Amino acid sequence: MLLGTVLVLLLGGAAPASAHAALRSTDPDDGSVVQRAPRHVTLTFTESVGLLDDSFRVFGPDQHRVPTGEATHAEDRSDTARVALPGKLAQGTYTVAWRVVSADSHPVSGAFSFSVGKRSSTMLQVDTGPAEDPLTGGLHTTARYLAYLAAALLVGTVAFALLCRPARTSPLRRPVVAAWWTLLGSTVALLLLRAPYEAGTGPATAFDADALGRTLSGRPGLALLARLALLVLSAVFLVWLARRRDRREPVALALGTALAAGLALTWAAAEHASAGIQVPLAMTSSVLHLLATGVWLGGLVALLLTLRRSSGEDLTEVVPRFSRIAFASVIVLAVTGLYQSWRGLGSLSVLSGTSYGRLLLAKLVAVTALLLAAGYSRRWTARIAAPAATARTAVPARVPQPVGAPAEPEERNSPDTVAGGSDGPGGSDGPGDSDSPDALRRGLRRSVLVEVAVAAAVLLITTVLTGTLPGRAQAEAARQAPAGTLPPTTQVTVPYDTGTGAVTGRGKVWITLDPARVGENGIQAVVHGSDAGLVVIPELRVTFSLPSRDVGPIDAELTDRGGYWSTNAVTLPLPGTWTMKTTVRVSEVDQVTVEKQVRIAP
């Protein structure tokens, strides 16, 4: 309908704002070597975070878990997370895996390492567990999508009945009831899945009493409880409304608006709008956007049902009313959607370089299809509304006649006659004319059905967007945060071939450079032969050069450790792209040198 003309607003949609906490710094620093064992591990984020029972897992040099204290906020700052370490820590490298809940209710996790005294001679992969259970994540996303759809259908259908005032509202009762129950069920599912979603565990833990208790005491859980309470009040309101004959009463409109705004607020208060920049404005914008989306999407579904059941005369009144309401929704959606897009995107450069940007581009394609369907629907709307406008202007004024004069013949100006007559929009008459009420109703119904289908796809993309790290937050994390991945190393595979037929003459060298940053680095190298098994060679040499600054070659001076080669004392003084030369000697006369580029961070 008219809404499609400015529907690029949906780029902001229910899309995220500058949210998702990004790791700003760690203490000790990621990859650092400290001489004295720290008493705490402290993380600082770009926004406030919530803590879990298992927010920190610390693994020692032997890859076993180190006992720690309870996770707390450092100095009562909500943007920090801290855990106490044991009094004595052995020398070696420690890995810290962390998981917190950002202010927008989405869990964030990562890992980093530090060393006490010196780095461990080997860096083994530590299994810190999955960042998210796939089944829990899938169920949570499905429940969120159903909640969005159900809320839009519930709000839009009731708004259509109150504002467009169709003659028959019985066709709207079934979708209202279905939407209410779907929203109730999806809200309960979200409440149960909240704990395993935050902890990254399977859905079987959803019924853990302690975890459910923590959920009910947190802001996302309280928002879901408030949504359940509002649904109960909405049910009472709907029963009361069904018994009222005059739905144009200001009391009904006021109560309906208040309940709809309350439902929208349960999303705004617990998700992206509640975190990041300009929170009060963002929450207001989010509530208005969700309400406008519901009035439009749910209104389209209600219009479809009305087109199937109502008379042509009723449609000439209902369709123009919905078009005016849709136009008002367009204005709200355009303003709030553009604002939320700016808040989440930050700059155009992230469109192609981030997952958020690529999803936004996919949404652009879907919105373009929606624009085409909406433009086509608008043509049908204008043709349906034309008979009513003609009927209001075509009735001639009656001229007073003398008493006893013969009566004038009455003109037939019913909407059906005007729509089908020679003066109608189609310019021809007859029951088979394309501008007959039945034909117009069928045409509009088909185009609106396409709108609803495409809009549902747009809403699905929007649901995925709400769980994606926004471009602004991702850019901020890249500028401020240390590398938060496990392990904080650079791993390079160097294939070699000396030209001999022996097993040792061809294979690969797996080299790990830790932490691949300016300063002291450690190297571990393992040599595999052509049969993929470990092989013993007489010599392995690795050197580093930085041609752009005329530095090097710096010999790593690897030591044969009996199965692998390593060193902990390679100092690389400058950041940049270094040339790593690996020389593999398999006999007294057979050797080969291979070059690889490695990036050394500041």
Side-chain angles (χ1 to χ4, degrees):
M1 305 295 291
L2 288 177
L3 196 79
T5 57
V6 198
L7 214 55
V8 287
L9 49 93
L10 283 177
L11 292 176
S18 179
H20 286 62
L23 184 61
R24 188 190 300 272
S25 64
T26 67
D27 183 17
D29 291 336
D30 184 15
S32 64
V33 179
V34 297
Q35 297 306 312
R36 298 180 59 183
R39 298 178 59 186
H40 302 89
V41 170
T42 304
L43 309 179
T44 303
F45 296 89
T46 56
E47 65 177 44
S48 60
V49 295
L51 303 177
L52 306 171
D53 287 347
D54 207 24
S55 276
F56 285 94
R57 286 173 293 161
V58 182
F59 299 88
D62 58 358
Q63 314 304 314
H64 290 96
R65 188 166 178 177
V66 176
T68 61
E70 183 181 356
T72 60
H73 292 295
E75 301 174 356
D76 293 328
R77 290 175 50 191
S78 60
D79 62 343
T80 63
R82 170 177 285 182
V83 67
L85 297 176
K88 293 183 179 180
L89 294 178
Q91 283 191 341
T93 300
Y94 290 79
T95 300
V96 180
W98 53 268
R99 186 179 183 89
V100 297
V101 181
S102 59
D104 62 4
S105 79
H106 293 286
V108 184
S109 61
F112 70 98
S113 70
F114 68 92
S115 302
V116 176
K118 63 177 182 179
R119 293 188 178 90
S120 300
S121 58
T122 58
M123 278 291 296
L124 301 178
Q125 182 80 18
V126 177
D127 183 13
T128 61
E132 179 183 78
D133 182 81
L135 181 56
T136 299
L139 291 174
H140 190 267
T141 300
T142 301
R144 286 172 57 233
Y145 179 62
L146 290 176
Y148 280 130
L149 274 180
L153 182 59
L154 180 63
V155 171
T157 306
V158 175
F160 184 88
L162 290 173
L163 300 175
C164 297
R165 303 186 299 276
R168 297 179 58 194
T169 58
S170 55
L172 305 181
R173 292 177 184 173
R174 183 172 294 180
V176 167
V177 172
W180 189 91
W181 280 107
T182 302
L183 185 54
L184 179 69
S186 59
T187 301
V188 171
L190 288 172
L191 196 61
L192 294 175
L193 290 170
R194 185 72 214 171
Y197 174 67
E198 290 180 348
T201 57
T205 60
F207 299 97
D208 181 81
D210 293 337
L212 186 58
R214 290 191 300 271
T215 295
L216 297 179
S217 62
R219 184 168 60 174
L222 291 175
L224 291 171
L225 284 178
R227 189 180 302 169
L228 290 175
L230 286 168
L231 281 173
V232 173
L233 294 177
S234 299
V236 175
F237 168 74
L238 292 173
V239 172
W240 172 81
L241 186 63
R243 296 176 179 177
R244 305 293 294 181
R245 293 185 177 181
D246 187 1
R247 298 181 181 86
R248 292 175 291 180
E249 291 183 358
V251 175
L253 291 174
L255 289 175
T257 302
L259 289 171
L263 286 173
L265 189 60
T266 62
W267 273 277
E271 295 195 348
H272 301 105
S274 63
I277 60 175
Q278 304 173 352
V279 170
L281 180 59
M283 289 185 63
T284 303
S285 172
S286 179
V287 169
L288 293 175
H289 194 97
L290 289 170
L291 289 177
T293 301
V295 170
W296 164 69
L297 182 56
L300 283 177
V301 176
L303 181 60
L304 270 177
L305 297 173
T306 303
L307 289 171
R308 291 176 59 91
R309 303 293 179 88
S310 298
S311 64
E313 183 176 356
D314 186 34
L315 289 181
T316 58
E317 299 294 333
V318 171
V319 171
R321 288 172 190 159
F322 180 71
S323 292
R324 290 191 293 269
I325 295 169
F327 180 76
S329 299
V330 165
I331 303 302
V332 175
L333 285 167
V335 174
T336 57
L338 291 174
Y339 167 72
Q340 292 186 65
S341 293
W342 165 80
R343 192 169 179 259
L345 196 61
S347 65
L348 294 176
S349 60
V350 303
L351 270 176
S352 60
T354 63
S355 298
Y356 176 84
R358 287 188 288 271
L359 280 171
L360 208 54
L361 290 175
K363 195 171 185 179
L364 266 174
V365 176
V367 167
T368 301
L370 188 54
L371 285 170
L372 297 175
Y376 193 65
S377 295
R378 187 183 180 188
R379 293 170 57 189
W380 287 107
T381 301
R383 295 168 71 179
I384 286 179
T390 304
R392 287 191 294 268
T393 60
V395 178
R398 290 187 177 272
V399 179
Q401 299 292 325
V403 177
E408 292 182 343
E410 294 185 1
E411 295 186 9
R412 300 178 61 188
N413 283 306
S414 68
D416 288 3
T417 303
V418 175
S422 58
D423 293 332
S428 61
D429 52 17
D433 179 49
S434 61
D435 282 339
S436 66
D438 289 341
L440 292 174
R441 192 160 51 244
R442 287 193 300 269
L444 181 59
R445 187 168 62 242
R446 285 192 296 266
S447 63
V448 171
L449 184 60
V450 173
E451 274 194 85
V452 171
V454 178
V458 172
L459 190 58
L460 176 61
I461 299 174
T462 300
T463 304
V464 179
L465 270 174
T466 60
T468 304
L469 181 64
R472 185 187 295 271
Q474 187 166 339
E476 184 177 4
R479 289 193 303 267
Q480 297 178 332
T485 56
L486 178 70
T489 60
T490 293
Q491 295 181 329
V492 183
T493 301
V494 181
Y496 71 91
D497 188 352
T498 62
T500 65
V503 172
T504 60
R506 180 168 53 88
K508 296 179 180 179
V509 182
W510 292 355
I511 299 177
T512 301
L513 182 63
D514 174 24
R517 293 181 176 174
V518 170
E520 189 176 80
N521 286 264
I523 296 179
Q524 295 84 40
V526 180
V527 184
H528 293 262
S530 57
D531 61 352
L534 294 177
V535 297
V536 177
I537 59 174
E539 183 181 7
L540 180 66
R541 183 182 180 191
V542 176
T543 62
F544 296 88
S545 302
L546 186 60
S548 61
R549 303 294 293 273
D550 197 23
V551 177
I554 299 174
D555 193 342
E557 299 181 357
L558 298 179
T559 301
D560 188 355
R561 305 289 183 179
Y564 70 96
W565 299 71
S566 72
T567 182
N568 289 322
V570 181
T571 300
L572 302 177
L574 298 171
T577 302
W578 288 68
T579 300
M580 182 179 70
K581 291 185 178 181
T582 304
T583 300
V584 182
R585 184 167 65 86
V586 298
S587 67
E588 293 296 329
V589 295
D590 297 312
Q591 71 176 35
V592 64
T593 299
V594 182
E595 292 188 3
K596 285 280 187 177
Q597 305 297 313
V598 294
R599 177 69 180 174
I600 302 300

